[in-house]
Amino acid sequence: AGRVCGSRGMQAAAGSCRAPPLAWWGLCRGLLLAVLAAGSCQGNSVERKIYIPLNKTAPCVRLLNATHQIGCQSSISGDTGVIHVVEKEDDLNWVLADGPHPPYMILLDGNLFNRRVLLQLKGTSRVSGLAVAVAKPSPPQGFSPGLKCPNDGFGVYSKDYGPQFAHCNKTVWNPVGSGLSYEDFDFPIFLLEDANETQVIKQCYQDHNVPRDGSGPEYPLCAMQLFSHMHAVTSTVTCMRRSSLQSTFSINPEVVCDPLLDYNVWSTLQPINSSGKVDPEKEVIIVATRIDSHSFFWNIAPGAESAVSSFVTHLATAEALHKVSDVHLLQRNIMFTFFQGETFDYIGSSRMVYDMEKDKFPLRLDNIHSFVELNQVALRNNSILWMHTDPISRMNDTVETQVRNLLDILSNSSVGANVSLQAAGFSQPLPPSSFQRFLRARHIPGVVLTDHKTAFQNRYYQSMYDTPENIQMQYPEGLSPEETLEYVTDTAKSLAEVATVVARALYRLAGGANNTSAIQADPKTVSRMLYGFLIKMNNSWFQSIIKPDLKGILGDVPQHYVAVSSPVNTTYLVQYVLANLTGAVVNLTKEECLNPEKTPSSEKELYEYAWVQGSLDPNSTSRVPYCVRSTVHLSKALSPAFELRQWGSTEYSTWTESRWKEIRARIFLVASKELEIITLVVGIAILIFSLLATYFINAKADVLFSIPQDPGAVAY
């Protein structure tokens, strides 16, 4: 009768005499799947045991214009190398020649981060990447990765207009500029922002990588991996064409680069219809400054002297003028303008000029009476502020008369102040400035105010070291964040004096006849702005003046890079600070403030309305919101080259930023190649043995896992 099951219970449960071996195999398979599932759940913890992530880093990324690509990138899977610390130039010999374990990932002291060193590393296969430690204190000799002649070729001077001044022939404005930001590197370069992470890397190097007695260290070695692969290549023309083709023919287009863009911020002393046109006979004085900066590393752009000092002074000037009682009676209007993207070939100003020429802006170029620009103003020698004018346009008698009047008004406004205004000289060209883009379109009387007569006083132009310390911002020890916000520094007092002089001059220039001694910029307001724009954006004042849905923009460390996602934090904050300083609180409900067109008396065509968070109620944790009415507006700061699809333009800025998938950095221990090969071979052998064992166990399962016959069973 053959073999039978040992009992009815087992037979009922298994269904047949061959069920137990299959059940055992199913159990084994289930256990294997459970182990694999548990392993995947623990994968992250295993990775954490192997790698130490570097969370406070800033990469060098790829930017492109009509003809070039600049910046850095890694390979698509990241670049890895054995860490070598370079603290003096002699240490480079190990990396470039002597070291037995290339490629190397260099941890470079910030004082050695210069053009001479980087060009030695460029083009050698022995270097796979670079991590730069911030130099503290800042390099005393200065450091500027920008160009010696910023925005060369996109200002007013050319072979057709003032050729003797073109390409900085007369004055080299940024003599310490190394041009590093405009080089192309084929390996990743990261900035280490956290001193603690830098110390962790150095300790790993000391423990594993230090050469012993002139010979190479033994494995395992401390290594670093940097990921910063860029999608765009060659030039803006190439990457925009590829993105355009993708958008045309693909359902899911893969864009490889984006134009640098944002918004300009502007407002007027007397309200104008932002959607209409100013009367041709109405004259407007433009006061301008830039609000963006740049450095070698992505989104590291403190810009204390190159941007913040001037736009904070500009904001204080606007506040001082709005407090004057008879501004509504002035013969000429004043427009306060804050340009974005000026670092990259005058993106913001060129777009505003373009819009004025195409009747896409409330003002036309013919409405402009004069132009006053605040440039770098914080590092004055002997309290002197220099007035720069354009010698070419001044050859026109009418322009010359107007410029002389402008200079006289500015000089007279400084009498009795702690600021002395002096003309830079008739033969001196304009420094890099937004005013140059307006002069390309029309001869306009104008002046650019700076703290330098010739070369920049700023030794850290467009660099990560253009910090509050660069403009001598100092606070007493032991102040709380709130006390620091309110503390009036000497720098704030100095910039408030400049704002006072400029405000008084603008009042006179606009036709004001009353005594100007009452026009005074507030040093306390300047202090708050400097703290917010240079030290900590997430402070109580900024929190109180923005919309509730924008509170996420308040990061800790302010940066002023124009970027590709707009508006950036700086633009929003300049907009709301300007509204707070020049606007008025109106008695409207939240619904009325958010929908002013429903309120007949709102004059929506003249004013902008914002429902802001307000300050914290002293007796609770809730805020007291309110409605602000102002004349503050935004206008697009996208280069006309992209509007016209002229990606190879030499007339307008063509800067784009490459897209990327991931940016990250980590360190870990790496074994020798021999050990890695042995491990791989042993692993493959174990895998083959396991597969064979599994095969034979499965083939003989009926023998290995059979159930012995129950001796008590009787067969009939």
Side-chain angles (χ1 to χ4, degrees):
R3 290 185 300 147
V4 296
C5 294
S7 69
R8 290 184 181 272
M10 184 175 289
Q11 186 175 4
S16 74
C17 294
R18 293 186 61 84
L22 293 175
W24 274 98
W25 175 244
L27 178 61
C28 292
R29 187 171 59 180
L31 288 171
L32 179 62
L33 292 173
V35 170
L36 290 175
S40 65
C41 292
Q42 296 296 321
N44 287 336
S45 63
V46 172
E47 182 177 353
R48 285 197 295 270
K49 290 177 181 178
I50 297 174
Y51 299 104
I52 298 177
L54 304 174
N55 299 316
K56 292 284 290 180
T57 62
C60 160
V61 303
R62 175 168 290 166
L63 299 173
L64 308 98
N65 65 10
T67 55
H68 292 81
Q69 65 179 29
I70 63 171
C72 322
Q73 76 156 354
S74 73
S75 61
I76 194 167
S77 56
D79 289 328
T80 304
V82 174
I83 295 171
H84 191 74
V85 175
V86 174
E87 295 180 328
K88 54 185 185 297
E89 283 201 50
D90 291 344
D91 295 337
L92 289 172
N93 294 332
W94 184 267
V95 173
L96 298 175
D98 302 337
H101 305 301
Y104 285 96
M105 192 68 69
I106 299 174
L107 174 56
L108 188 68
D109 184 272
N111 289 297
L112 294 177
F113 185 61
N114 56 53
R115 185 178 183 86
R116 184 179 66 257
V117 169
L118 261 69
L119 290 186
Q120 288 184 65
L121 305 178
K122 188 177 179 180
T124 173
S125 60
R126 292 180 61 89
V127 175
S128 59
L130 199 62
V132 181
V134 178
K136 290 187 178 180
S138 301
Q141 72 276 14
F143 174 75
S144 172
L147 298 171
K148 292 183 182 296
C149 189
N151 291 355
D152 186 23
F154 290 86
V156 68
Y157 302 114
S158 65
K159 61 182 177 62
D160 301 317
Y161 187 98
Q164 68 272 32
F165 303 127
H167 312 299
C168 296
N169 287 335
K170 177 76 175 180
T171 305
V172 177
W173 296 105
N174 186 29
V176 298
S178 65
L180 264 184
S181 289
Y182 297 86
E183 291 286 337
D184 183 39
F185 296 92
D186 58 359
F187 53 80
I189 303 178
F190 278 52
L191 176 69
L192 300 173
E193 299 182 74
D194 188 346
N196 292 328
E197 289 187 344
T198 304
Q199 191 54 45
V200 167
I201 299 170
K202 287 184 176 180
Q203 189 60 52
C204 188
Y205 167 79
Q206 291 289 339
D207 294 343
H208 299 279
N209 294 14
V210 174
R212 309 293 179 188
D213 301 323
S215 61
E218 296 181 358
Y219 286 97
L221 299 174
C222 191
M224 182 185 295
Q225 190 172 30
L226 302 178
F227 297 84
S228 62
H229 181 67
M230 300 288 131
H231 294 174
V233 294
T234 308
S235 67
T236 289
V237 176
T238 301
C239 79
M240 289 299 292
R241 184 176 65 244
R242 289 177 179 174
S243 297
S244 179
L245 288 171
Q246 285 271 345
S247 301
T248 304
F249 297 108
S250 176
I251 298 175
N252 297 308
E254 184 179 339
V255 176
V256 295
C257 68
D258 300 283
L260 295 181
L261 71 127
D262 205 82
Y263 287 88
N264 298 322
V265 182
W266 63 276
S267 75
T268 52
L269 194 60
Q270 300 164 356
I272 63 173
N273 187 342
S274 60
S275 58
K277 289 288 180 290
V278 173
D279 292 338
E281 66 276 5
K282 184 66 176 177
E283 293 183 322
V284 178
I285 302 163
I286 292 185
V287 191
T289 191
R290 67 174 60 190
I291 58 175
D292 69 296
S293 188
H294 180 44
S295 80
F296 186 87
F297 299 99
W298 182 76
N299 207 30
I300 300 295
E305 160 73 342
S306 61
V308 177
S309 67
S310 56
F311 75 69
V312 162
T313 304
H314 190 171
L315 288 164
T317 300
E319 181 192 33
L321 278 170
H322 271 268
K323 289 179 179 178
V324 179
S325 58
D326 64 336
V327 291
H328 61 287
L329 301 175
L330 293 178
Q331 176 187 349
R332 302 181 183 96
N333 203 349
I334 300 174
M335 187 171 92
F336 306 100
T337 313
F338 301 81
F339 292 120
Q340 261 288 14
E342 295 301 274
T343 302
F344 296 95
D345 299 337
Y346 306 118
I347 293 173
S349 55
S350 63
R351 179 53 187 261
M352 185 170 283
V353 171
Y354 174 82
D355 287 344
M356 287 181 176
E357 290 176 324
K358 302 298 181 182
D359 280 343
K360 297 179 179 180
F361 196 79
L363 267 68
R364 300 176 180 87
L365 289 170
D366 291 341
N367 291 117
I368 300 175
H369 170 267
S370 52
F371 198 104
V372 177
E373 180 170 352
L374 288 161
N375 211 303
Q376 303 177 75
V377 294
L379 299 176
R380 302 191 306 279
N381 279 335
N382 301 320
S383 298
I384 297 175
L385 205 60
W386 294 97
M387 300 181 290
H388 299 265
T389 58
D390 172 42
I392 305 301
S393 60
R394 289 181 68 177
M395 293 178 182
N396 179 293
D397 291 340
T398 304
V399 173
E400 168 66 9
T401 302
Q402 292 172 308
V403 169
R404 284 202 173 277
N405 179 55
L406 176 57
L407 296 177
D408 289 343
I409 290 175
L410 281 164
S411 298
N412 293 336
S413 297
S414 67
V415 174
N418 292 326
V419 181
S420 172
L421 272 76
Q422 296 184 20
F426 188 86
S427 61
Q428 180 76 23
L430 286 170
S433 52
S434 305
F435 180 40
Q436 292 199 31
R437 291 301 303 193
F438 284 79
L439 280 176
R440 283 176 73 128
R442 183 174 177 270
H443 281 177
I444 297 171
V447 62
V448 178
L449 303 178
T450 73
D451 55 20
H452 54 88
K453 181 179 182 181
T454 53
F456 295 162
Q457 297 277 15
N458 185 7
R459 294 173 299 151
Y460 305 107
Y461 182 74
Q462 289 185 8
S463 91
M464 56 190 170
Y465 301 114
D466 192 6
T467 58
E469 292 76 19
N470 187 33
I471 58 172
Q472 287 87 51
M473 278 180 63
Q474 297 177 342
Y475 295 92
E477 295 282 344
L479 294 183
S480 68
E482 203 62 29
E483 290 170 336
T484 310
L485 172 67
E486 301 294 338
Y487 183 81
V488 179
T489 62
D490 290 340
T491 302
K493 294 175 184 176
S494 173
L495 294 180
E497 290 168 353
V498 175
T500 297
V501 169
V502 174
R504 290 174 179 176
L506 291 171
Y507 175 78
R508 286 280 185 235
L509 197 60
N514 293 336
N515 191 293
T516 59
S517 59
I519 301 176
Q520 189 76 41
D522 186 359
K524 188 173 182 180
T525 301
V526 175
S527 286
R528 285 178 163 187
M529 290 190 287
L530 288 174
Y531 179 81
F533 285 112
L534 287 175
I535 297 175
K536 188 176 182 181
M537 278 188 170
N538 194 12
N539 62 72
S540 59
W541 185 48
F542 279 6
Q543 290 168 6
S544 69
I545 63 174
I546 63 171
K547 291 180 177 180
D549 58 340
L550 292 179
K551 57 186 177 184
I553 70 170
L554 297 177
D556 279 337
V557 181
Q559 304 296 346
H560 308 293
Y561 174 59
V562 59
V564 296
S565 57
S566 58
V568 295
N569 301 8
T570 304
T571 303
Y572 273 130
L573 288 170
V574 168
Q575 177 189 6
Y576 284 100
V577 168
L578 184 59
N580 177 268
L581 298 179
T582 63
V585 177
V586 290
N587 187 24
L588 295 178
T589 65
K590 181 178 180 180
E591 179 66 25
E592 291 170 334
C593 191
L594 296 177
N595 301 281
E597 65 277 359
K598 296 180 180 179
T599 305
S601 60
S602 67
E603 298 180 292
K604 180 68 173 69
E605 67 279 0
L606 299 180
Y607 297 102
E608 294 288 331
Y609 291 80
W611 185 257
V612 300
Q613 289 193 121
S615 302
L616 285 170
D617 190 322
N619 301 318
S620 71
T621 57
S622 60
R623 295 185 176 274
V624 184
Y626 55 91
C627 185
V628 175
R629 184 186 72 183
S630 71
T631 61
V632 180
H633 307 277
L634 298 181
S635 66
K636 195 178 285 186
L638 170 66
S639 171
F642 298 100
E643 196 92 353
L644 301 168
R645 296 176 66 87
Q646 296 175 0
W647 303 320
S649 172
T650 56
E651 170 73 11
Y652 299 112
S653 171
T654 55
W655 285 106
T656 55
E657 180 185 273
S658 174
R659 289 196 177 186
W660 58 82
K661 184 177 181 181
E662 62 176 346
I663 298 287
R664 61 191 174 101
R666 59 189 184 182
I667 63 172
F668 55 95
L669 294 181
V670 62
S672 66
K673 294 294 182 184
E674 293 80 5
L675 181 57
E676 289 178 346
I677 292 171
I678 291 171
T679 304
L680 176 63
V681 171
V682 171
I684 292 172
I686 292 173
L687 174 63
I688 293 172
F689 175 78
S690 301
L691 292 173
L692 291 172
T694 303
Y695 172 77
F696 285 115
I697 290 172
N698 187 44
K700 301 295 182 181
D702 56 342
V703 177
L704 295 172
F705 302 111
S706 63
I707 303 300
Q709 187 173 351
D710 188 349
V714 179
Y716 296 96

